[in-house]
Amino acid sequence: MGKPPHTSYHSDPRVDALVDETIGRVADKWTLLVLEALEEAGEQRFSAIGRAVPGISQKMLTQTLRQMEREGLVTRTVHAEVPPRVEYRLTVLGHDLAEAFCGVWHWAERNIETIEAARAAFDARQ
Amino acid sequence: MGKPPHTSYHSDPRVDALVDETIGRVADKWTLLVLEALEEAGEQRFSAIGRAVPGISQKMLTQTLRQMEREGLVTRTVHAEVPPRVEYRLTVLGHDLAEAFCGVWHWAERNIETIEAARAAFDARQ
DNA sequence: GGTGCCTACTTCCCAATGGAGAGCAAGGGA
DNA sequence: TCCCTTGCTCTCCATTGGGAAGTAGGCACC
């Protein structure tokens, strides 16, 4: 769809675009849930995160962790052992993001019933 | 991947699951950007939102707005005119969510450079 | 010495999702 | 009569994601 107008409260539209792009990369279901798992449990191994995030496939877990590592949200430590042991830990940046998301969690907790009701009403209307 | 363990700071795992499910539905790139657009501009028409969210396709805009309506985040008002006019507005619930996401926006704004640097370092390392 | 096992991936196949663009309804204007 | 408008909806195709199987490589057991 169209590009420009986009009146924002920021002065610089390039900053807006960068923020949007960053949000786009971070605001992903799996990223959020992995972030939550790491925030709650501290340093975790690959398979422990997988267990803490029900429904994620190994492929998506690998992919999500790689991307988070690339964005600087987690550090990856490989221990040269057999069997292999790889540990993931939130960076300060990742921890800050998790804190920023706290508000969203609390919103979700607070409003579960409202949302369920809205959904039921919407579905009944259709 | 596996289901259980998932030690959380909530007592009830069912609440956790519901929260995760809700987050999963709301933590979507397009939902966030549409939320931002509506929060900044107030009531908006379909195509105005499209212009405010660069890169979104009409299909995804329709789909995102429908889902947001279903979750109770926006209201949809159809004016029986020709050409048609449909206006979208955040509900209180939607507004609260947008506020909850403020922290994430500020995080992104504050850390753009750190993230860019992390990405550059990661890419150089590979 | 062969057979597993363990973990963190990687690969393959197939279904679902998302983007691009065309089509549509329905009334008003030229 | 033809075209314009808006908010979708549909179709076609590329990309993404899930499920399951495969891989490396050193160790333990028989």
Side-chain angles (χ1 to χ4, degrees), chain A residues 7-23:
Chain A
T7 46
S8 138
Y9 55 83
H10 298 122
S11 42
D12 191 346
R14 286 172 307 174
V15 172
D16 268 9
L18 267 173
V19 169
D20 278 9
E21 198 207 317
T22 304
I23 296 283

Side-chain angles (χ1 to χ4, degrees), chain B residues 55-98:
Chain B
I56 196 168
S57 66
Q58 289 192 325
K59 190 170 80 172
M60 284 318 290
L61 183 51
T62 306
Q63 210 170 104
T64 304
L65 285 169
R66 281 282 191 295
Q67 179 154 329
M68 290 174 77
E69 196 193 350
R70 181 167 189 259
E71 310 289 331
L73 301 177
V74 301
T75 54
R76 194 175 96 106
T77 313
V78 183
H79 299 268
E81 300 171 359
V82 167
R85 185 160 61 92
V86 181
E87 299 204 294
Y88 295 90
R89 172 187 289 274
L90 288 187
T91 60
V92 173
L93 189 64
H95 176 75
D96 284 356
L97 179 58

Side-chain angles (χ1 to χ4, degrees), chain B residues 13-60:
Chain B
R14 285 171 306 173
V15 172
D16 268 7
L18 268 173
V19 168
D20 278 7
E21 198 205 318
T22 304
I23 296 282
R25 239 176 298 103
V26 153
D28 157 75
K29 180 187 171 185
W30 295 132
T31 303
L32 244 74
L33 295 175
V34 168
L35 201 69
E36 179 195 22
L38 283 172
E39 175 74 4
E40 281 183 17
E43 196 170 44
Q44 285 275 82
R45 307 181 58 169
F46 181 86
S47 47
I49 302 174
R51 258 171 275 126
V53 181
I56 196 168
S57 66
Q58 289 192 325
K59 190 170 80 172
M60 284 318 290

Side-chain angles (χ1 to χ4, degrees), chain A residues 60-101:
Chain A
M60 284 316 292
L61 183 52
T62 306
Q63 211 170 102
T64 303
L65 285 169
R66 280 284 189 295
Q67 180 154 325
M68 291 175 76
E69 194 192 351
R70 180 166 188 259
E71 310 289 331
L73 301 177
V74 301
T75 53
R76 194 176 96 105
T77 313
V78 183
H79 299 268
E81 303 173 358
V82 167
R85 185 161 60 95
V86 181
E87 298 203 293
Y88 294 89
R89 171 188 290 275
L90 287 188
T91 60
V92 173
L93 188 65
H95 176 74
D96 284 355
L97 179 58
E99 282 199 339
F101 269 120

